[in-house]
Amino acid sequence: MFQPLGGGGQLTRSIFNGATGLSQFFPQWNKIDLCVLTVTILDKIQKMHDLGLLFGCINPASIYIAGTQDVYFVDTDSWQVEGYPALSHNQTFTPPELLRDNKTLLIYTMDQENYQIAVLAFMLMMPGKFPYTKGKNADERDSIIDMAFPFSVGGGMRRSRDAERPSGIWRIVWDHLPYQMCDGFYNTFHSNGKYAQPGYRLDTTKWIKMTKDFNDTLMTSNGAGSRSMFPRTFRRDGKRVFVRCKICGQEHPDYYFIHSIHVQQEKIDIWERGYRICLPCASDQSNMSFRCECCGRQFYYTNRTKVLHEIGKSDFDFKKQRWCKDCKKRTIKCGHCGQEVPIYQMREFEDRLRNLRTSVCGNCFKELIEKSKQEKEAWKNSVGRWVSCRSCGRSFSITNGEIEYFSRKGYNLPTRCPNCRKKRY
């Protein structure tokens, strides 16, 4: 039997490559085209299931897209047929319970296939976005096992604990999806979701219906924002208060702005001070910079850090930053105590009595300054020269302090002893 020749581009290189892949393969597509494509793929998968065939583990690289209704599945010899295990393995699409058991050779159930279909639908509707968020020191596998889903829906639902809140474009793309679809994704991927546990997952027909309903809404909607693959701002539902960002000029709901920052553990309300900076712009590079005195490189602040320094300078007497974070990590031995200290804390100490210069830490610098003052005072009071009085002939001393004073004033040194000077005047 001959199979038709496949065409188009891989799903991984086009849709799953986000804005870059879409601009390269399908630059004219909008969200309606994406809905049609999703229905086309899910319809084909449903026909597979009707024939008793399972992907086993979905490999998006084996799905080729030539058009919204022109899709090809290749590498079909890796599918799961009857009692024979699937030959492919893709961690991104593996259900959490299988990763916990650390199994490699698997025979997948229909329920586990349904989980993979949900991941596929999510990454199609959120082009290329992985459902879970990697927490601190976590990788993809850990985030799947923990089901760290960062998006939330409605007042009674919340994002997973320790999951980083999505920012920028993904939070906006999520906002434009219909409630029913968001509810399905949330309850599938969130650890406390009602479809999250094995045996409760939504099947392919449910995702097909949600996608068709979304497509019908987009076709009848007058708003062009939701039709865009990557809308520039949130839905205008008539309830949200929109404010214009002073940096990018884009209007966003007021909750999408930074309202406060912490300066020296004190919370400062920057919204009341007139700052209007949206969350994406807060992380962008500003026009304020400093040059590191240690390495000489120039560094630009983010807009958030710029505000912090502006308020810190006006309200907290902030000094201009002198060292970058990399140089603050570098250490060097103190020339006095021998301890390893950050290089930016080193001070140059000049011992004028001994004509020496030494790099020392801050604590040693204070100690040496105090010691230097004491030595200087002792030196000033010590005898610097013995002179014979030209009046009485007796020897008298002149201290170093007096020699220094007369030299600085441009005077000659005394030639008479203190007693003779008193008698003379």
Side-chain angles (χ1 to χ4, degrees):
M1 179 184 295
F2 292 98
Q3 292 182 331
L5 182 66
Q10 286 179 317
L11 185 59
T12 49
R13 296 181 60 192
S14 54
I15 312 298
F16 283 8
N17 199 20
T20 302
L22 284 164
S23 62
Q24 180 180 354
F25 287 88
F26 310 110
Q28 304 302 321
W29 277 20
N30 58 24
K31 194 61 69 66
I32 294 176
D33 297 301
L34 201 58
C35 286
V36 176
L37 173 67
T38 303
V39 171
T40 300
I41 293 174
L42 296 181
D43 273 338
K44 287 182 177 291
I45 294 174
Q46 184 60 50
K47 290 177 182 177
M48 286 172 50
H49 292 168
D50 293 342
L51 295 172
L53 301 174
L54 275 69
F55 269 110
C57 189
I58 293 177
N59 178 16
S62 65
I63 300 177
Y64 281 72
I65 313 299
T68 57
Q69 296 179 305
D70 196 6
V71 176
Y72 298 89
F73 292 170
V74 301
D75 295 335
T76 56
D77 54 345
S78 65
W79 292 355
Q80 179 174 305
V81 181
E82 296 179 347
Y84 296 95
L87 300 179
S88 63
H89 178 72
N90 189 330
Q91 179 175 269
T92 302
F93 289 83
T94 304
E97 65 271 16
L98 297 184
L99 289 179
R100 294 189 191 102
D101 296 337
N102 203 24
K103 293 183 179 179
T104 54
L105 188 63
L106 301 167
I107 296 180
Y108 292 85
T109 65
M110 180 57 72
D111 182 72
Q112 292 162 351
E113 179 98 347
N114 287 336
Y115 169 84
Q116 298 179 65
I117 301 303
V119 175
L120 179 66
F122 182 89
M123 295 182 70
L124 283 167
M125 301 312 299
M126 303 273 289
K129 174 66 176 171
F130 181 59
Y132 302 108
T133 298
K134 301 174 185 177
K136 294 180 180 179
N137 303 321
D139 57 14
E140 182 185 77
R141 184 176 185 276
D142 292 334
S143 65
I144 296 173
I145 292 175
D146 296 337
M147 302 192 78
F149 189 65
F151 301 93
S152 59
V153 188
M157 300 184 180
R158 60 186 66 181
R159 59 193 176 95
S160 298
R161 187 176 60 182
D162 298 331
E164 298 175 2
R165 188 181 187 88
S167 61
I169 193 62
W170 295 118
R171 191 172 171 187
I172 296 175
V173 174
W174 173 262
D175 183 70
H176 282 268
L177 295 180
Y179 177 84
Q180 185 182 15
M181 183 175 285
C182 291
D183 178 81
F185 287 139
Y186 175 90
N187 282 294
T188 299
F189 300 123
H190 193 281
S191 56
N192 294 329
K194 57 186 177 182
Y195 310 134
Q197 300 306 314
Y200 296 93
R201 289 161 178 152
L202 299 177
D203 59 25
T204 309
T205 57
K206 299 290 194 308
W207 296 113
I208 291 175
K209 184 180 185 308
M210 291 182 202
T211 309
K212 286 183 176 179
D213 290 344
F214 184 29
N215 183 60
D216 293 341
T217 302
L218 292 174
M219 293 289 288
T220 57
S221 174
N222 294 325
S226 293
R227 295 183 184 180
S228 172
M229 285 287 191
F230 300 100
R232 299 186 63 185
T233 189
F234 294 79
R235 285 183 297 110
R236 294 182 180 269
D237 57 3
K239 300 177 182 178
R240 296 166 172 169
V241 177
F242 277 73
V243 181
R244 188 177 299 277
C245 174
K246 289 187 177 180
I247 296 177
C248 66
Q250 182 64 48
E251 290 188 347
H252 296 293
D254 56 357
Y255 61 75
Y256 201 57
F257 288 76
I258 54 173
H259 285 250
S260 61
I261 59 174
H262 285 84
V263 183
Q264 292 187 345
Q265 298 183 345
E266 183 175 337
K267 187 176 181 179
I268 306 296
D269 190 336
I270 66 172
W271 186 265
E272 291 295 327
R273 298 189 180 209
Y275 288 98
R276 298 292 183 268
I277 305 175
C278 68
L279 293 179
C281 287
S283 303
D284 288 345
Q285 177 180 296
S286 72
N287 57 359
M288 179 184 287
S289 65
F290 76 97
R291 189 174 295 278
C292 178
E293 294 182 4
C294 183
C295 64
R297 293 181 296 171
Q298 189 168 10
F299 294 86
Y300 284 87
Y301 296 121
T302 63
N303 288 306
R304 183 193 297 271
T305 312
K306 176 184 176 181
V307 173
L308 184 148
H309 279 267
E310 287 177 349
I311 295 176
K313 186 176 181 181
S314 63
D315 295 17
F316 297 87
D317 195 27
F318 268 25
K319 305 299 181 184
K320 184 178 179 181
Q321 187 169 347
R322 299 170 60 189
W323 303 282
C324 66
K325 62 179 181 180
D326 294 329
C327 289
K328 285 183 177 181
K329 297 176 183 177
R330 294 171 58 190
T331 60
I332 191 173
K333 273 190 177 182
C334 172
H336 183 68
C337 66
Q339 292 185 348
E340 289 281 343
V341 294
I343 193 171
Y344 74 93
Q345 292 182 359
M346 298 296 284
R347 304 283 299 275
E348 197 72 20
F349 175 73
E350 183 179 3
D351 188 345
R352 294 182 179 178
L353 289 178
R354 299 172 182 83
N355 197 24
L356 296 173
R357 295 175 69 90
T358 313
S359 294
V360 297
C361 64
N363 292 333
C364 289
F365 184 80
K366 294 178 182 178
E367 179 184 331
L368 291 173
I369 286 292
E370 188 61 33
K371 184 178 178 180
S372 177
K373 287 180 180 179
Q374 295 174 1
E375 289 180 346
K376 181 72 172 178
E377 193 64 29
W379 176 81
K380 282 183 176 182
N381 296 326
S382 64
V383 177
R385 183 180 300 183
W386 288 93
V387 180
S388 296
C389 178
R390 71 178 186 176
S391 295
C392 66
R394 286 181 296 183
S395 296
F396 68 94
S397 63
I398 302 176
T399 64
N400 286 313
E402 291 172 330
I403 294 173
E404 187 180 53
Y405 173 78
F406 287 122
S407 175
R408 186 171 66 250
K409 292 293 185 178
Y411 301 153
N412 294 325
L413 292 178
T415 56
R416 294 182 175 84
C417 66
N419 290 333
C420 291
R421 287 201 298 270
K422 288 179 181 179
K423 291 178 182 179
R424 188 177 180 187
Y425 298 105

